[in-house]
């Protein structure tokens, strides 16, 4: 790999990025449920309804982009190797093309002109944005003047946050993410071995104590100014897993809007301390259990894709390669004209979302009807995977999917659970089954799901899915996801399929 050392900064050491292998943030989004969004006060609702990370619904329609203008960092995390992007908001193992503020502004305008669904510009690395205040605020300053229709968003480890809050307020930044992994310096020292503070390194618990205090102070200051705060936490089994419930309660009590618990990514080949030491990552079930446990106290984001510091597009897709500096230089951008087009597109999406919400409100509270034979039985929930490329509908060929969204259907309704990444195995329309190992990998990643809904599927994967106990379903192509899932669940009830594993109601209540 052709590595290029980036410009140096006294705060950081050895930041390196590739010029060619540019990948981005592909983690799940911070998202509240639609119901939570619809119950919000108008002022907050307005801030989240077209932010793909702050609203689970919005992430099907609206895109975000990151500009990698911030190379330096002021702390060390055991899950981070400085030559890759900030792992607080990014997937380690991928690196970003570092931009100057000028290039960042040019790229933002180019993306916004070509992807009218784009609503948010975030700075999330590759180091800590607030450890690079000149570059970060120069970019924000120029964008708030030259691209006023774009929301600005920033993600930070929080160490420099209290000193940056005034500047953040000036640039109309109303979304800030703070990564808070713990409230306890003893645990903090196991995650962050040192911080850079007042021109020197401070190690262990002493450093962790300062970091925690700065994060909490920054959170309170942002909330006081009416800025929406999302808290990210990296779930590290055996280190902070149980403790994250307390983190969730505390940040909620201080006014954080959303909590995004992300799984630790620790691969030995990334050269991180945790990767090399063999610290394990949580599995999907552990992550979901913890998110469910925290959800009683807090709005949880479950659609985060752990994006790259230069991510472009809908969450889960990466269109960064369409907007490299050499390609942008050849684009002829009329931003004022593009802004008008974007306004029309956004209004169209808002209308569609309002109709969807109205429809949901009508069916909300309507208990899924049950067939005669299921009366008196407590019917089990069913996990269903969906192949979609956005728009809230089932519109992706099974073999073309690079991720599946997983929903739970039950007699209480339909709820989004998580996303699962897979390797695309089908290149052409009729070539499903060509890449056996990728297909087997896809099927493995759908473990626990009983149904997979997609727009189309070939004979070969259909058979293999059935053999694995997963029912493929291509009958609901282009239908809204939740409605299709509810209808499939109803069919399962009507066919008596769920009765086999159902419990008598009294038994299940007393169990
Ligand atoms: Fe970017 Fe982060 Fe803003 Fe979103 S990402 S700075 S809040 S615009 Fe979103 Fe990506 Fe998850 Fe971050 S999906 S990693 S939560
Ligand atoms: Fe790495 Fe981000 Fe932690 Fe800094 S804050 S050490 S860039 S993960």
């Amino acid at each position: 790999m052709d590595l290029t050392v980036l410009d140096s900064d006294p705060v950081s050491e050895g930041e390196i990025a590739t010029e060619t292998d540019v990948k981005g943030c592909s983690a799940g989004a911070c998202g509240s449920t639609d119901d939570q969004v619809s119950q919000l006060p108008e002022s907050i609702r307005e801030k989240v309804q077209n932010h793909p990370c702050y609203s689970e619904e919005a992430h099907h329609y609206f895109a975000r982009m990151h500009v990698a203008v911030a190379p330096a960092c002021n702390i060390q995390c055991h899950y981070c190797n400085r030559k890759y992007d900030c792992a607080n908001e990014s997937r380690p193992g991928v690196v970003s093309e570092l931009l100057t503020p000028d290039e960042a502004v040019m790229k933002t305008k180019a993306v916004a002109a070509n992807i009218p669904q784009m609503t948010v510009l975030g700075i999330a690395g590759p180091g800590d944005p607030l450890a690079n205040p000149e570059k970060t605020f120069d970019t924000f300053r120029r964008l708030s003047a030259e691209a006023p229709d774009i929301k600005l968003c920033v993600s930070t480890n929080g160490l420099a946050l209290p000193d940056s809050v005034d500047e953040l307020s000036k640039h109309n930044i109303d979304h800030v993410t703070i990564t808070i992994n713990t409230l306890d310096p003893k645990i903090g020292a196991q995650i962050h071995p040192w911080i850079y503070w007042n021109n020197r390194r401070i190690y262990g618990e002493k450093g962790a104590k300062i970091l925690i205090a700065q994060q909490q102070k920054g959170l309170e200051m942002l909330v006081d100014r009416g800025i929406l705060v999302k808290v990210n936490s990296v779930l590290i089994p055996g280190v902070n897993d149980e403790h994250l419930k307390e983190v969730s309660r505390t940040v909620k009590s201080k006014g954080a809007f959303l909590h995004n618990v992300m799984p630790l990514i620790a691969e030995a080949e990334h050269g991180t301390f945790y990767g090399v030491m063999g610290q394990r990552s949580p599995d999907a079930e552990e992550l979901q259990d913890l998110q469910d446990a925290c959800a009683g106290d807090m709005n949880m984001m479950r659609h985060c894709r752990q994006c790259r510091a230069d991510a472009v597009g809908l969450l889960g897709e990466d269109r960064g390669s369409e907007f490299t500096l050499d390609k942008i230089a050849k684009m002829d951008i009329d931003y004022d004209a593009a802004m008008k087009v974007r306004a029309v597109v956004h209004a169209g999406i808002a209308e569609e979302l309002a109709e969807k919400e109205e429809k949901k409100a009508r069916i909300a509270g309507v208990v899924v009807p049950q067939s005669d034979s299921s009366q008196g039985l407590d019917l089990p929930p069913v996990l269903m995977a969906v192949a979609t490329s956005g728009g809230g509908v089932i519109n992706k060929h099974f073999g073309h999917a690079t991720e599946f969204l997983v929903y739970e259907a039950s007699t209480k309704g339909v709820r989004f659970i998580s996303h699962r990444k897979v390797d695309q195995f089908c290149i052409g329309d009729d070539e499903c089954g060509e890449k056996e190992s990728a297909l087997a990998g896809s099927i493995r990643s759908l473990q626990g799901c009983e149904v997979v809904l997609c727009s189309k599927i070939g004979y070969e994967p259909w058979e293999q899915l059935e053999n694995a106990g997963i029912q493929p379903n291509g009958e609901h192509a282009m239908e809204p996801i939740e409605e299709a899932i509810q209808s499939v669940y109803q069919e399962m009830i009507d066919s008596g399929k769920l009765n086999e594993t159902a419990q008598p109601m009294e038994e299940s209540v007393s169990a």
Side-chain angles (χ1 to χ4, degrees):
M1 194 183 284
D2 175 25
L3 297 174
T4 307
V5 179
L6 302 176
D7 57 346
S8 62
D9 185 298
V11 187
S12 63
E13 291 176 353
E15 299 91 348
I16 299 174
T18 60
E19 287 177 331
T20 51
D21 181 21
V22 180
K23 291 184 184 170
C25 166
S26 62
C30 1
S32 52
T33 67
D34 311 340
D35 289 348
Q36 285 163 346
V37 171
S38 65
Q39 288 160 17
L40 292 170
E42 190 52 35
S43 58
I44 297 186
R45 202 174 125 96
E46 209 196 317
K47 283 183 185 171
V48 301
Q49 66 191 359
N50 64 0
H51 194 306
C53 301
Y54 281 71
S55 156
E56 197 269 313
E57 187 66 49
H59 103 276
H60 295 293
Y61 298 87
F62 293 108
R64 57 75 185 97
M65 71 173 286
H66 289 166
V67 284
V69 295
C73 191
N74 48 8
I75 69 172
Q76 178 63 58
C77 304
H78 272 328
Y79 43 73
C80 179
N81 178 343
R82 289 296 174 75
K83 72 180 182 185
Y84 301 124
D85 287 354
C86 172
N88 279 335
E89 273 263 323
S90 313
R91 176 168 288 275
V94 289
V95 287
S96 299
E97 183 181 40
L98 195 66
L99 304 178
T100 64
D102 271 356
E103 291 166 339
V105 171
M106 205 166 68
K107 181 170 177 178
T108 305
K109 288 180 173 176
V111 172
N114 284 282
I115 306 181
Q117 296 86 349
M118 192 200 123
T119 50
V120 181
L121 178 280
I123 301 184
D128 184 77
L130 303 183
N132 303 260
E134 292 83 14
K135 290 167 185 158
T136 295
F137 289 121
D138 194 20
T139 307
F140 281 146
R141 194 176 305 118
R142 288 197 45 197
L143 282 173
S144 55
E146 295 175 38
D149 60 332
I150 293 174
K151 281 182 196 296
L152 303 177
C153 191
V154 68
S155 171
T156 175
N157 61 42
L159 183 63
L161 184 55
D163 294 335
S164 310
V165 169
D166 285 342
E167 192 71 23
L168 287 167
S169 311
K170 272 191 220 155
H171 301 300
N172 209 13
I173 294 160
D174 44 27
H175 298 81
V176 174
T177 296
I178 316 172
T179 298
I180 301 178
N181 293 321
T182 179
L183 305 169
D184 178 346
K186 282 195 171 55
I187 297 175
Q190 294 174 56
I191 304 170
H192 310 290
W194 57 260
I195 66 166
Y196 193 83
W197 183 247
N198 291 338
N199 299 314
R200 65 193 175 97
R201 279 190 186 183
I202 300 182
Y203 294 86
E205 283 183 39
K206 207 172 160 195
K209 195 172 172 188
I210 296 168
L211 176 63
I212 292 164
Q214 290 290 97
Q215 290 169 337
Q216 296 301 312
K217 188 175 169 192
L219 165 59
E220 288 162 17
M221 289 171 76
L222 290 169
V223 171
D224 276 351
R225 282 165 173 77
I227 295 174
L228 279 190
V229 180
K230 165 167 80 69
V231 168
N232 280 1
S233 301
V234 180
L235 167 55
I236 309 160
V239 177
N240 68 348
D241 39 6
E242 278 305 306
H243 176 64
L244 283 180
K245 294 174 198 163
E246 191 187 333
V247 172
S248 219
R249 276 192 297 276
T250 302
V251 299
K252 184 192 180 181
S253 73
K254 293 191 176 180
F257 174 72
L258 200 59
H259 192 194
N260 174 24
V261 177
M262 309 185 298
L264 170 75
I265 300 171
E267 308 286 345
E269 61 266 30
H270 298 153
T272 63
F273 177 85
Y274 280 150
V276 172
M277 298 305 285
Q279 166 66 48
R280 76 172 179 89
S281 302
D283 61 28
E285 203 178 339
E286 280 174 302
L287 179 65
Q288 192 187 323
D289 286 350
L290 186 70
Q291 287 172 335
D292 287 347
C294 295
D297 294 303
M298 187 69 187
N299 296 339
M300 299 304 292
M301 175 177 190
R302 297 173 193 258
H303 60 282
C304 179
R305 303 299 203 279
Q306 287 172 283
C307 309
R308 293 171 43 145
D310 62 356
V312 172
L314 291 174
L315 300 189
E317 74 175 5
D318 188 3
R319 297 184 57 181
S321 60
E322 296 170 41
F323 301 96
T324 52
L325 289 177
D326 55 330
K327 287 184 181 158
I328 291 167
K330 292 181 197 142
M331 293 179 187
D332 188 15
I333 307 295
D334 176 348
Y335 193 73
D336 287 340
M339 210 157 45
K340 287 184 190 135
V341 172
R342 290 156 48 69
V344 173
V345 170
H346 291 190
I349 296 175
E351 214 171 284
E352 195 179 328
L353 282 171
E355 273 171 28
K356 213 172 158 187
E357 205 174 288
E358 216 175 89
K359 195 165 180 189
K360 273 188 186 170
R362 279 203 306 273
I363 59 169
V366 178
V367 178
V368 177
Q370 298 176 16
S371 67
D372 288 348
S373 66
S374 67
Q375 296 302 324
L377 292 175
D378 198 3
L379 297 171
V382 171
L383 289 186
M384 300 192 201
V386 173
T388 175
S389 55
V393 292
I394 299 162
N395 55 2
K396 194 118 189 159
H397 187 303
F398 178 82
H400 298 172
T402 52
E403 67 169 16
F404 290 92
L405 303 190
V406 177
Y407 290 79
E408 181 191 78
S410 72
T411 50
K412 296 186 191 115
V414 176
R415 67 173 185 138
F416 175 75
I417 297 286
S418 65
H419 72 284
R420 301 207 189 152
K421 287 207 159 299
V422 295
D423 288 332
Q424 178 185 341
F425 69 89
C426 175
I427 309 300
D429 265 355
D430 302 310
E431 294 168 4
C432 291
E434 266 194 357
K435 297 187 180 174
E436 291 296 332
S437 59
L439 174 57
S442 291
I443 292 174
R444 247 194 330 276
S445 75
L446 295 176
Q447 203 180 7
C449 297
E450 293 181 43
V451 177
V452 60
L453 292 147
C454 52
S455 64
K456 212 174 165 194
I457 182 167
Y459 170 75
E460 179 80 24
W462 180 289
E463 193 178 21
Q464 291 198 34
L465 279 163
E466 274 195 333
N467 290 343
I470 303 168
Q471 184 58 53
N473 186 320
E475 290 166 26
H476 296 271
M478 300 316 292
E479 287 181 21
I481 294 170
E482 283 92 347
E483 280 172 45
I485 289 175
Q486 188 149 345
S487 136
V488 172
Y489 189 64
Q490 182 61 57
E491 283 163 22
M492 292 173 87
I493 294 172
D494 291 343
S495 68
K497 191 170 186 294
L498 298 182
N499 294 1
E500 294 158 20
T501 47
Q503 301 277 315
M505 264 178 180
E506 276 169 37
E507 233 177 73
S508 64
V509 169
S510 60

